[in-house]
């Protein structure tokens, strides 16, 4: 006769787990953040078991009351977590049994820790996606309003980080907004695949008890139960998909950060960030460092690493559940924490950006930013584009030698390269004329920027709260 070594699985073991192995295999130190979701799932499971007659109403009521007391202990910080009990599930179940006796052990009927943890993670991630979605909405709203305010502010547009053509600061900010709009679509779409119930798959093959998984799904707000029990317990696609979304989002925030860092430098001096989003130097008293965007830029690699880690975790796993999957939580949790922190920092910071319009405009005057406008002007005068390109190139070479921008040249100087150039050329060589000429949807004309900002504002206002979405709505289709 052997003495059980673990109340969850120790019946067939003849010796206790090695102390190091106990610590090495335990997950409670990090999966305890799933505690409230675990209780939420257990309440639904017990309610369903009573409906199908597996538990009596009295047993259900005792379980639910005990779980509510445990929830209060956890929220008050009074719950004692034990590594010896391995994980969040066994800690809560053991405490429940302490409170209500043997009835607590009946809660696990018809389920396994395999489908239980898969359910907990989905519940947790679903809630956290709601937080991420709210922060994305707040950041986009701040960008849109700043873009509308800066619709007339001219700045240089760049390719290869070289002056290319004049744009407006508002137009540039709306490019950021478009990136984030795609990100928000992605995370909302990801949520649909998170919102599927694994509970009832048990260890891997389902259960012989007469459970009703549709009842559990409805109680927990899932759209449907998972179709296949093997896939239900082993699927972590949803965690990988969220981390892939997070990697794209952080890539976008990192690109924005790079521009903010450049623009706050003395060499650009395009914008000012409030002191509360910057830090100083311990040795150089003049320094004002854009630490928030720099840190966001740095955290991007951290999230990329988590994506690669999760992909590698899953790449060679046979069906169904394997202990490897315990390693899914820490990268997912850290990704969520990182994303929420970065979004909050940006959502707080972006509306406070102050544009230095005079500096931006002066920078746009350098680098022959209206050269393309001159080429287009010549084409409208009947010159073939390739010839116009050559003429403007010669004009730029002349300007470089004489240290003159195109708009600073006299008509006679310009006409030496083409007699097609007349006095009306100066209408297209001004910065204002250049941006105003691009007066089409997606263009940089101030009126178009204001119109685009309004469309973005309307689209953002039309987003339904995530908790109200159903697959029958147009948005979910």
């Amino acid at each position: 006769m052997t003495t059980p070594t673990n109340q969850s699985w120790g019946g067939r073991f003849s010796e206790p787990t090695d102390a190091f192995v106990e610590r090495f295999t335990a997950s409670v130190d990090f999966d305890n953040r799933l505690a409230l979701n675990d209780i939420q799932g257990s309440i639904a499971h017990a309610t369903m078991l009573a409906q199908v007659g597996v538990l009596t109403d009295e047993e259900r009521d005792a379980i639910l009351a005990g779980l509510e007391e445990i929830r209060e202990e956890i929220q008050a910080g009074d719950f004692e977590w034990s590594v010896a009990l391995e994980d969040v599930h066994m800690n809560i179940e053991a405490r429940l049994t302490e409170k209500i006796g043997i009835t607590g052990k009946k809660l696990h009927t018809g389920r396994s820790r395999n489908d239980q943890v898969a359910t907990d993670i989905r519940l947790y991630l679903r809630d956290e996606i709601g937080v991420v979605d709210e922060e994305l909405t707040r950041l986009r709203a701040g960008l849109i309003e700043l873009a509308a305010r800066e619709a007339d502010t001219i700045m240089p547009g760049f390719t290869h980080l070289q002056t290319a053509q004049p744009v407006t600061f508002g137009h540039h900010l709306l490019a950021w907004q478009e990136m984030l709009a795609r990100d928000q679509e992605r995370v909302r779409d990801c949520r649909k695949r998170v919102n599927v119930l694994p509970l009832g798959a048990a260890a891997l093959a389902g259960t012989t008890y007469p459970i009703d998984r549709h009842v559990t799904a409805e109680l927990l707000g899932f759209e449907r139960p998972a179709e296949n029990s093997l896939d239900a317990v082993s699927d972590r696609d949803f965690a990988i998909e969220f981390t892939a979304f997070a990697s794209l989002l952080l890539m976008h925030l990192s690109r924005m950060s790079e521009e903010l860092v450049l623009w706050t430098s003395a060499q650009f001096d395009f914008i000012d960030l409030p002191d509360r989003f910057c830090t100083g130097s311990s040795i150089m008293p003049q320094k004002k460092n854009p630490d928030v965007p720099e840190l966001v830029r740095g955290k991007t690699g951290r999230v990329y690493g988590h994506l690669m880690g999760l992909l590698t975790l899953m790449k060679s796993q046979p069906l169904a559940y394997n202990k490897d999957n315990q390693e899914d939580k820490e990268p997912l949790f850290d990704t969520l924490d990182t994303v929420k922190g970065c979004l909050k920092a940006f959502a707080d910071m972006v509306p406070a950006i102050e544009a230095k319009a005079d500096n931006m405009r002066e920078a746009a005057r350098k680098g022959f930013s209206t050269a393309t406008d001159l080429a287009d002007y010549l084409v409208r005068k009947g010159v073939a584009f390739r010839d116009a390109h050559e003429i403007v190139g010669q004009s730029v070479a002349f300007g470089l030698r004489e240290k003159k921008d195109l708009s600073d040249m006299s008509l006679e100087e310009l006409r030496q390269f083409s007699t097609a150039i007349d006095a009306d050329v100066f209408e297209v060589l001004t910065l204002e004329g250049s941006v105003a000429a691009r007066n089409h949807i997606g263009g940089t004309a101030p009126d178009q920027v204001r119109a685009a900002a309004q469309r973005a504002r309307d689209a953002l206002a039309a987003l339904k709260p995530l908790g109200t979405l159903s697959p029958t709505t147009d948005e979910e289709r």
Side-chain angles (χ1 to χ4, degrees), residues 145-389:
E145 296 314 310
L146 181 59
R149 291 200 306 272
E150 303 294 343
D152 295 292
T153 303
I154 293 175
M155 67 177 292
F158 299 96
T159 62
H160 308 277
L161 206 56
Q162 305 294 311
T163 299
Q165 293 176 283
V167 296
T168 64
F169 188 39
H171 190 62
H172 195 116
L173 294 169
L174 288 179
W176 291 359
Q177 197 283 139
E178 288 296 310
M179 298 176 189
L180 296 174
R182 294 193 297 272
D183 291 329
Q184 193 159 17
E185 287 178 9
R186 268 186 281 269
V187 75
R188 285 177 160 241
D189 196 55
C190 171
R191 185 185 182 276
K192 292 187 292 186
R193 284 170 288 283
V194 172
N195 203 28
V196 177
L197 174 73
L199 204 60
L204 78 161
T207 177
T208 58
Y209 296 97
I211 62 172
D212 190 333
R213 298 182 67 217
H214 290 283
V215 168
T216 312
E218 184 176 353
L219 288 170
L220 291 172
F222 285 107
E223 290 297 340
R224 60 178 177 84
E227 287 285 343
N228 183 281
S229 61
L230 288 167
D231 181 61
V233 296
S234 61
D235 169 39
R236 294 298 183 270
D237 290 2
F238 63 92
I240 295 171
E241 185 177 357
F242 178 83
T243 312
F245 144 77
S247 296
L248 279 167
L249 170 64
L250 265 291
M251 178 268 287
H252 289 148
L253 293 182
S254 183
R255 294 181 70 187
M256 298 175 202
S257 294
E258 176 72 5
E259 292 184 319
L260 291 173
V261 170
L262 288 172
W263 293 346
T264 56
S265 70
Q267 289 70 32
F268 278 77
D269 200 23
F270 284 0
I271 65 168
D272 187 48
L273 295 177
D275 289 354
R276 64 185 179 275
F277 297 107
C278 302
T279 64
S281 165
S282 63
I283 190 172
M284 296 171 285
Q286 84 282 9
K287 293 295 295 298
K288 178 179 175 181
N289 299 325
D291 276 11
V292 168
E294 286 179 356
L295 191 56
V296 170
R297 187 176 60 185
K299 286 180 180 292
T300 301
R302 181 188 189 118
V303 172
Y304 290 178
H306 291 326
L307 173 60
M308 188 54 61
L310 286 171
L311 286 167
T312 306
L313 174 72
M314 298 303 300
K315 76 174 183 66
S316 298
Q317 284 198 39
L319 290 171
Y321 183 85
N322 301 278
K323 187 66 170 178
D324 311 45
N325 284 354
Q326 183 170 297
E327 291 293 301
D328 64 350
K329 296 168 197 63
E330 289 174 289
L332 178 61
F333 294 162
D334 189 70
T335 296
L336 279 161
D337 293 344
T338 302
V339 164
K340 290 189 297 180
C342 292
L343 282 174
K344 175 173 172 48
F346 258 66
D348 290 346
M349 178 180 64
V350 162
I353 291 173
E354 295 180 9
K356 297 183 177 181
D358 291 342
N359 293 353
M360 287 184 174
R361 192 181 191 286
E362 184 59 29
R365 292 187 70 252
K366 301 173 183 177
F368 303 94
S369 64
T370 58
T372 304
D373 298 275
L374 179 56
D376 291 342
Y377 168 87
L378 289 167
V379 170
R380 288 193 295 272
K381 293 286 188 174
V383 178
F385 180 78
R386 285 298 168 205
D387 292 335
H389 192 285

Side-chain angles (χ1 to χ4, degrees), residues 457-473:
R457 204 179 280 124
D458 293 343
L460 199 58
L463 287 179
K464 295 181 176 67
L466 279 178
T468 68
L469 294 181
S470 121
T472 59
T473 65

Side-chain angles (χ1 to χ4, degrees), residues 26-261:
S27 60
V28 68
D29 286 344
F30 53 84
D31 69 15
N32 61 29
R33 75 160 71 187
L34 299 174
L36 298 183
N37 303 108
D38 193 73
I39 291 171
Q40 181 185 5
S42 292
I43 288 172
H45 183 64
T47 301
M48 180 275 295
L49 289 178
Q51 284 192 27
V52 299
V54 173
L55 292 178
T56 66
D57 289 349
E58 292 76 14
E59 289 171 331
R60 175 203 61 204
D61 292 346
I63 288 171
L64 298 193
L67 289 172
E68 290 294 350
E69 290 178 13
I70 294 170
R71 193 204 312 258
E72 291 175 6
E73 289 176 0
I74 292 170
Q75 290 175 325
D78 297 331
F79 192 90
E80 294 185 12
W81 299 99
S82 169
V83 170
L85 292 170
E86 296 185 31
D87 57 35
V88 61
H89 323 295
M90 290 312 304
N91 270 265
I92 290 173
E93 184 178 317
R95 180 63 175 143
L96 180 65
T97 303
E98 280 181 22
K99 282 181 170 292
I100 67 173
I102 194 170
T103 300
K105 296 183 178 182
K106 294 187 177 184
L107 173 60
H108 206 55
T109 306
R111 73 178 183 184
S112 162
R113 285 187 294 176
N114 295 356
D115 61 341
Q116 189 178 356
V117 69
T119 301
D120 289 359
I121 297 172
R122 286 175 182 265
L123 286 168
Y124 178 80
L125 182 54
R126 188 180 68 186
D127 290 345
E128 293 293 281
I129 284 175
V131 177
V132 169
D133 183 72
E134 289 174 1
E135 287 296 283
L136 270 167
T137 296
R138 193 163 69 91
L139 173 53
R140 289 178 62 196
L143 269 175
I144 292 165
E145 296 314 310
L146 181 59
R149 291 200 306 272
E150 303 294 343
D152 295 292
T153 303
I154 293 175
M155 67 177 292
F158 299 96
T159 62
H160 308 277
L161 206 56
Q162 305 294 311
T163 299
Q165 293 176 283
V167 296
T168 64
F169 188 39
H171 190 62
H172 195 116
L173 294 169
L174 288 179
W176 291 359
Q177 197 283 139
E178 288 296 310
M179 298 176 189
L180 296 174
R182 294 193 297 272
D183 291 329
Q184 193 159 17
E185 287 178 9
R186 268 186 281 269
V187 75
R188 285 177 160 241
D189 196 55
C190 171
R191 185 185 182 276
K192 292 187 292 186
R193 284 170 288 283
V194 172
N195 203 28
V196 177
L197 174 73
L199 204 60
L204 78 161
T207 177
T208 58
Y209 296 97
I211 62 172
D212 190 333
R213 298 182 67 217
H214 290 283
V215 168
T216 312
E218 184 176 353
L219 288 170
L220 291 172
F222 285 107
E223 290 297 340
R224 60 178 177 84
E227 287 285 343
N228 183 281
S229 61
L230 288 167
D231 181 61
V233 296
S234 61
D235 169 39
R236 294 298 183 270
D237 290 2
F238 63 92
I240 295 171
E241 185 177 357
F242 178 83
T243 312
F245 144 77
S247 296
L248 279 167
L249 170 64
L250 265 291
M251 178 268 287
H252 289 148
L253 293 182
S254 183
R255 294 181 70 187
M256 298 175 202
S257 294
E258 176 72 5
E259 292 184 319
L260 291 173
V261 170

